[in-house]
Amino acid sequence: MISTFFILSLTNYMKKYLLGIVLLGWAMIAKAQVADNYYFPANVTYSPAIPTPQQFLGYQVGQWHVTHDQRVAYMKKLDEFSDRITLAEYARTYENRPLLLLTITNQANHANLENIRTEHVKLTDPAQSGSLNTSTMPGVVWMGYSVHGNEPSGANASLLAAYYLAAAQGPSVDSLLRECVILLDPCINPDGGNRFASWVNTHKSITPVSDPDTREYNEVWPGGRTNHYWFDLNRDWLYTQHPESKGRLVKYHQWKPNIVTDHHEMGSNSTFFFQPGIPARTHPLTPRLNIDLTAKIGTYHAAGLDKIGSYYFTQENYDDFYYGKGSTYPDVNGSIGILFEQASSRGHVQETINGLLTFPFTVRNQFTATLSTLKAAKEMRVELLNYMRDFYKQGSTDAVKSYVFGGSNDRPRTWEMVEILRRNQIEVYEVAKDETVDGRNFPKGNAYVVPLNQPQHRVAKAIFEKRTQFEDSLFYDISAWAMPLTFNVPYAESKASVSLGSKVGENTFPKGSVVGKTDYSYLFEWDSYYAPRTLYELESLGYLTKTATQRLTVLVQGKPRMFDYGTIQVQVRDHDPEETYRLLQRLAERDGVDFYASSTGLTGSGIDFGSENFKAMRTPRPLMLVGSGINSNDAGEVWHLLDQRVNVPLTMADMSSINRVDLSKYNTIIMVSGNYNALSVDKIKEWIRNGGVLITMADATEWASEKGVSPIKIKSIPSDTTGPKPYALSELHKGAQVTGGAIFQVKLDLTHPLAYGYKEPTLNVFRDNNIFIQPIKDPYGAPAIYTDRPLVSGYVSTQNEKLLRNSLSIVCTNLGSGKVIAMTDNPNFRAFWYGTNKLFLNALFFGSQISSGRFGGGSED
Ligand SMILES: [Zn+2]
């Protein structure tokens, strides 16, 4: 056992001397375990009835990385033993791990909890908040740990925090539990956290190894940062596409906490960060007072960290711009979000430029920041409650009165958008009558209004607004995310009030139907977001399906109906007509697809059912390259899309073994952004020549160009030749050339298989790179081309915007009998770009049908 003082002295000593000389000595010391008094405040007694984490686990926090089942078991034990704690499971992860929320307050508050909650939530309703006496109301604090699984100090400190709150005795904790309701989420990302805990525990040596090059500190791909599908859950707070976030947001809005903490880790050579971040990079919808209150809370963290001799920084590196982050989302909801970043020991003890960094040390800093937050919450309680009330009292002063959207043929896509709005507690109404705004029609029955005259007007604005002017040109994350653009759902901003129909309560999924019954053929259009899922299931069940490459008109219930490019014909043939009809009914309801029966092959106009312009489908058998060097977020987006939304089995082969895989089993290979230098170019080319379809995105498109897999040429980016500049500004200047994530417009060729299912001649796309494809010779090979004024929302430098103009977004070229579909952008970004997923799925389903020109010329082999 070593004392706190001894460790502090060592930390200072370490900074003064070369590490190498004393490494062995440190390793010996680091082997020693910390005692409870290393973590917990002195002069506090603890109830002996509550088991400490060490008593429960059989080891001290920091000695091993707590696995999620151990964490859950301990929290359940505290719930059982402590009358201060109640535990609820708010969701299950994809891997079926429980997500927990502990409600911690004193017994009297627990007895009155529902009343406290309903009174608290009235702060966000200006119609009711005036009569509240905030001086007698408890504050609500939300403590969230380790949304990034390989940033473990938070999720391990959560055991200490829960124990302290359950067991500590004395006036300080008594007043805290009287004046606050604490909501504690001990681990926001259990799947990633467990992946990481397994990794570091598996590689832990009993004789500590602090060498950063050892396997313990170098996880294999994809690492533990992300969730099951390799998504960053700390980008999912606003659009909530994953069960972890969906469940959390329900609890969040049930309580509307005053402070929300978000405990992270950063590079091992750093120290500790707490917000405020860079003030100039705060989103303009966040009030200035939020930053001031954050800074005031920061003085509590500083005092807590000073007391244990830890170093820290503020107002650098991190920002509060993108509302999809856990420390930023609260800022647009009348709360104060606080980001903590602890230098990561990653494993158990790692050599850094600041000396040896032990896992217990990182856990202790997070626990210290937990206690300083709670102290601030207690002492600033009335100020924070009043801040929330005032925040919601301020109505919208915006010239825009309402956002109107809808009218798309793809109702499921609009439905998904409404779901997100509702998860954010935004009031959505149906239009009362047919509306025309800015020349766009919004028909009654298929269009919605979000009025800004509502308490959540800031969140609504954050979701709908377009923005191209910024105070700063550097962004920690994306600079644009406007939902109607990411969904490519028609919308307009109305400066006049729009008549409101009924408020959307239960948002029932827009089921499709089967019109007529036949033993010949059914048609369905490609509009529905879920049409690819329908198609894949039909193909899997052995139905012969064909795509219309030209339009056709068919009599439906006696009236001619036009079917657009990409319409799918399902031939009943050898299948039982009754069984087929029931199957189609099920698919129509599940996927929002309408089927139309036809008992004749002769059409009113356009192609007939037996036409060669109805092209037979090739069932996708996709392979995606994954592993070291590949962007795991981008790969995870493809996996999630195909698995969760289209139900297509995806083989994911590792780069390290790909040169041994028999590629002839697959008809499509997907290469997301990444480094493919280890890949055998000859093998890929031969596979394409034999009829394979290669889909490349971003860096992979650059690779395809460089290796001659596709004849496309990438524009070179001119270097800065404007002469000497101050060195201190270099980071700023370079950062300004980064396209961190913005929304641009492309022209779409609606007759091209890649654009099947789209109705508008322009499409919004997401871009976060500086890869620009030059125009090509083949006039039919570029179905998506950037417009000459491409920026729609977000930040891009003047230079990059010029390079982007009229460059190509998607290019299809031939190689032998195969195809290369090169995309510059990522159509599947973060699972909320519903509007461009179809570009990718079209490449998967129709890629093999694309030929350059009517007679298949223009092969570039
Ligand atoms: Zn993080």
Side-chain angles (χ1 to χ4, degrees):
M1 195 183 296
I2 49 177
S3 74
T4 308
F5 173 76
F6 186 48
I7 287 184
L8 286 175
S9 312
L10 285 175
T11 313
N12 292 329
Y13 178 80
M14 282 185 284
K15 289 184 183 94
K16 293 174 191 156
Y17 295 92
L18 271 177
L19 270 170
I21 302 166
V22 287
L23 200 57
L24 185 65
W26 299 131
M28 298 303 286
I29 290 157
K31 189 178 172 180
Q33 287 314 308
V34 299
D36 283 346
N37 66 6
Y38 174 68
Y39 292 123
F40 295 113
N43 310 322
V44 175
T45 56
Y46 295 89
S47 163
I50 309 291
T52 65
Q54 184 166 20
Q55 284 164 350
F56 180 82
L57 298 166
Y59 61 85
Q60 180 61 289
V61 168
Q63 188 179 355
W64 293 92
H65 286 247
V66 174
T67 58
H68 192 63
D69 46 3
Q70 291 171 334
R71 186 181 299 107
V72 170
Y74 183 62
M75 297 304 166
K76 284 186 173 166
K77 188 62 80 180
L78 292 182
D79 180 27
E80 186 187 321
F81 279 77
S82 169
D83 51 21
R84 298 171 178 175
I85 293 180
T86 55
L87 180 147
E89 181 182 314
Y90 67 79
R92 289 266 168 149
T93 66
Y94 288 113
E95 295 175 20
N96 215 8
R97 292 193 172 86
L99 288 145
L100 303 181
L101 192 69
L102 281 68
T103 304
I104 311 172
T105 191
N106 74 10
Q107 250 181 308
N109 286 342
H110 266 299
N112 190 31
L113 199 64
E114 186 54 18
N115 188 36
I116 292 173
R117 189 188 70 76
T118 49
E119 288 298 296
H120 181 82
V121 169
K122 283 180 190 169
L123 291 169
T124 65
D125 178 3
Q128 299 190 72
S129 63
S131 60
L132 297 170
N133 179 1
T134 50
S135 69
T136 61
M137 292 167 66
V140 178
V141 196
W142 181 294
M143 317 293 296
Y145 297 94
S146 299
V147 65
H148 294 142
N150 59 5
E151 300 174 3
S153 51
N156 283 266
S158 74
L159 281 80
L160 304 174
Y163 169 74
Y164 173 85
L165 294 169
Q169 304 293 312
S172 172
V173 75
D174 285 347
S175 61
L176 173 68
L177 296 174
R178 184 174 62 243
E179 294 177 34
C180 291
V181 174
I182 299 155
L183 304 166
L184 191 149
D185 183 343
C187 178
I188 306 174
N189 175 13
D191 291 349
N194 218 65
R195 216 152 64 219
F196 181 74
S198 286
W199 178 265
V200 278
N201 287 338
T202 301
H203 296 96
K204 175 177 167 150
S205 301
I206 296 309
T207 311
V209 180
S210 58
D211 180 352
D213 288 325
T214 197
R215 195 165 158 83
E216 179 178 345
Y217 308 117
N218 296 282
E219 284 175 278
V220 287
W221 194 95
R225 174 183 175 89
T226 49
N227 78 350
H228 175 76
Y229 287 102
W230 314 333
F231 278 74
D232 186 337
L233 288 175
N234 195 37
R235 303 293 183 272
D236 194 42
W237 275 74
L238 190 63
Y239 288 171
T240 49
Q241 293 303 304
H242 300 285
E244 297 91 339
S245 322
K246 287 179 187 173
R248 190 187 333 109
L249 217 63
V250 171
K251 286 282 177 196
Y252 180 93
H253 286 294
Q254 270 174 10
W255 271 104
K256 310 269 186 190
N258 299 102
I259 297 180
V260 177
T261 63
D262 192 18
H263 293 259
H264 288 250
E265 289 187 358
M266 57 187 158
S268 304
N269 289 324
S270 197
T271 58
F272 189 87
F273 167 86
F274 55 83
Q275 279 182 325
I278 298 166
R281 296 183 203 161
T282 304
H283 196 288
L285 289 170
T286 297
R288 173 71 220 187
L289 187 53
N290 175 295
I291 305 171
D292 298 342
L293 289 168
T294 306
K296 188 170 171 185
I297 296 168
T299 62
Y300 289 82
H301 310 316
L305 293 163
D306 285 343
K307 210 168 174 182
I308 59 169
S310 278
Y311 289 86
Y312 51 83
F313 66 96
T314 69
Q315 304 202 29
E316 289 181 81
N317 293 16
Y318 302 97
D319 72 23
D320 262 328
F321 192 83
Y322 176 46
Y323 285 123
K325 293 190 294 171
S327 55
T328 312
Y329 183 78
D331 297 339
V332 75
N333 282 280
S335 178
I336 310 288
I338 300 173
L339 172 67
F340 295 116
E341 294 276 356
Q342 163 65 47
S344 185
S345 65
R346 212 58 75 187
H348 293 86
V349 51
Q350 194 176 161
E351 187 185 321
T352 76
I353 60 165
N354 293 316
L356 276 190
L357 182 60
T358 70
F359 183 41
F361 177 79
T362 66
V363 171
R364 185 173 63 159
N365 281 345
Q366 301 279 19
F367 178 57
T368 301
T370 297
L371 295 184
S372 57
T373 303
L374 293 174
K375 189 165 193 271
K378 183 175 78 172
E379 294 180 6
M380 294 170 63
R381 177 180 60 87
V382 179
E383 197 173 2
L384 292 167
L385 291 168
N386 289 341
Y387 170 74
M388 178 171 271
R389 173 161 63 184
D390 293 345
F391 179 94
Y392 280 96
K393 266 188 182 167
Q394 287 161 11
S396 170
T397 53
D398 208 282
V400 174
K401 298 292 174 236
S402 311
Y403 296 102
V404 193
F405 65 97
S408 162
N409 284 17
D410 178 5
R411 287 171 185 247
R413 190 149 38 104
T414 311
W415 180 86
E416 295 284 0
M417 189 170 149
V418 173
E419 284 288 282
I420 294 173
L421 295 170
R422 283 164 39 81
R423 285 201 287 274
N424 282 285
Q425 306 286 300
I426 292 166
E427 294 168 8
V428 185
Y429 297 82
E430 293 184 18
V431 292
K433 56 181 174 55
D434 292 356
E435 292 281 351
T436 304
V437 186
D438 284 349
R440 276 190 170 279
N441 296 321
F442 297 97
K444 180 174 168 20
N446 187 22
Y448 301 90
V449 193
V450 170
L452 282 184
N453 179 23
Q454 63 168 302
Q456 283 294 70
H457 63 90
R458 284 189 187 79
V459 183
K461 195 166 159 60
I463 282 178
F464 279 91
E465 70 167 9
K466 285 188 281 193
R467 201 175 273 273
T468 49
Q469 299 294 319
F470 302 93
E471 195 178 333
D472 203 308
S473 50
L474 262 64
F475 297 86
Y476 188 78
D477 198 71
I478 57 176
S479 61
W481 53 85
M483 190 159 43
L485 304 177
T486 71
F487 274 68
N488 274 296
V489 165
Y491 88 117
E493 299 176 343
S494 174
K495 289 184 177 154
S497 307
V498 174
S499 57
L500 303 180
S502 53
K503 190 169 164 181
V504 179
E506 273 303 295
N507 181 28
T508 46
F509 184 79
K511 292 174 181 176
S513 60
V514 186
V515 181
K517 194 191 272 189
T518 184
D519 57 2
Y520 190 66
S521 278
Y522 290 91
L523 297 178
F524 70 94
E525 292 208 81
W526 197 241
D527 296 349
S528 165
Y529 181 82
Y530 292 106
R533 183 164 67 191
T534 313
L535 177 61
Y536 189 79
E537 185 152 347
L538 289 166
E539 288 181 359
S540 308
L541 293 170
Y543 284 88
L544 182 62
T545 55
K546 294 188 172 188
T547 338
T549 61
Q550 301 291 334
R551 287 172 167 159
L552 64 152
T553 304
V554 174
L555 280 185
V556 173
Q557 293 174 327
K559 284 186 198 152
R561 186 188 188 286
M562 195 274 281
F563 288 85
D564 217 334
Y565 297 99
T567 292
I568 306 293
Q569 181 192 162
V570 185
Q571 302 191 347
V572 182
R573 286 188 174 231
D574 308 329
H575 296 267
D576 176 54
E578 281 302 322
E579 216 172 89
T580 300
Y581 181 74
R582 283 195 298 274
L583 168 69
L584 299 188
Q585 276 185 318
R586 181 173 66 78
L587 298 180
E589 288 186 11
R590 186 192 68 185
D591 295 340
V593 166
D594 293 319
F595 291 94
Y596 299 90
S598 179
S599 299
T600 171
L602 198 62
T603 60
S605 66
I607 56 174
D608 293 319
F609 279 52
S611 164
E612 284 177 21
N613 280 311
F614 259 119
K615 297 225 169 154
M617 304 293 299
R618 185 165 86 171
T619 306
R621 279 180 280 117
L623 167 97
M624 179 168 63
L625 299 181
V626 298
S628 185
I630 308 304
N631 183 321
S632 60
N633 292 142
D634 292 13
E637 285 154 6
V638 171
W639 179 22
H640 173 265
L641 176 70
L642 295 190
D643 194 27
Q644 290 280 326
R645 298 192 185 153
V646 197
N647 303 153
V648 171
L650 172 68
T651 300
M652 298 188 280
D654 202 89
M655 283 294 291
S656 60
S657 57
I658 188 63
N659 291 336
R660 298 193 297 272
V661 172
D662 171 11
L663 297 182
S664 68
K665 292 189 285 180
Y666 314 99
N667 56 28
T668 310
I669 293 179
I670 300 160
M671 290 170 59
V672 299
S673 177
N675 180 335
Y676 291 95
N677 288 335
L679 191 58
S680 161
V681 177
D682 290 342
K683 186 174 173 169
I684 291 286
K685 278 185 165 176
E686 193 190 319
W687 172 84
I688 301 169
R689 284 194 188 97
N690 289 329
V693 174
L694 176 69
I695 304 172
T696 63
M697 290 177 239
D699 297 353
T701 289
E702 219 166 9
W703 173 89
S705 169
E706 277 166 19
K707 303 294 180 189
V709 175
S710 167
I712 54 169
K713 300 271 183 295
I714 310 290
K715 292 185 187 178
S716 56
I717 296 172
S719 48
D720 185 353
T721 52
T722 50
K725 287 177 179 164
Y727 171 78
L729 296 180
S730 65
E731 211 169 311
L732 213 61
H733 291 163
K734 283 176 192 158
Q737 293 305 324
V738 171
T739 307
I743 301 174
F744 301 93
Q745 195 173 57
V746 297
K747 281 176 288 188
L748 210 52
D749 172 8
L750 295 174
T751 72
H752 195 283
L754 264 278
Y756 286 170
Y758 287 103
K759 289 282 185 272
E760 307 259 342
T762 58
L763 187 76
N764 303 297
V765 299
F766 173 79
R767 159 172 284 255
D768 61 358
N769 63 48
N770 290 335
I771 300 168
F772 310 103
I773 304 182
Q774 298 179 11
I776 53 164
K777 281 184 206 152
D778 178 4
Y780 309 105
I785 304 172
Y786 281 98
T787 61
D788 46 17
R789 291 287 304 279
L791 179 65
V792 181
S793 186
Y795 172 80
V796 64
S797 74
T798 311
Q799 172 184 295
N800 290 328
E801 199 265 350
K802 278 186 184 146
L803 288 164
L804 190 59
R805 289 178 193 176
N806 303 311
S807 72
L808 309 185
S809 174
I810 304 176
V811 183
C812 306
T813 52
N814 293 352
L815 184 63
S817 316
K819 311 280 181 300
V820 179
I821 301 172
M823 302 183 165
T824 49
D825 307 322
N826 174 6
N828 307 319
F829 187 65
R830 287 184 188 166
F832 70 74
W833 266 85
Y834 279 76
T836 48
N837 282 149
K838 195 158 273 171
L839 293 174
F840 174 77
L841 292 172
N842 286 350
L844 182 69
F845 281 89
F846 306 133
S848 65
Q849 297 183 354
I850 302 165
S851 56
S852 288
R854 175 69 180 82
F855 298 101
S859 169
E860 308 274 0
D861 191 358

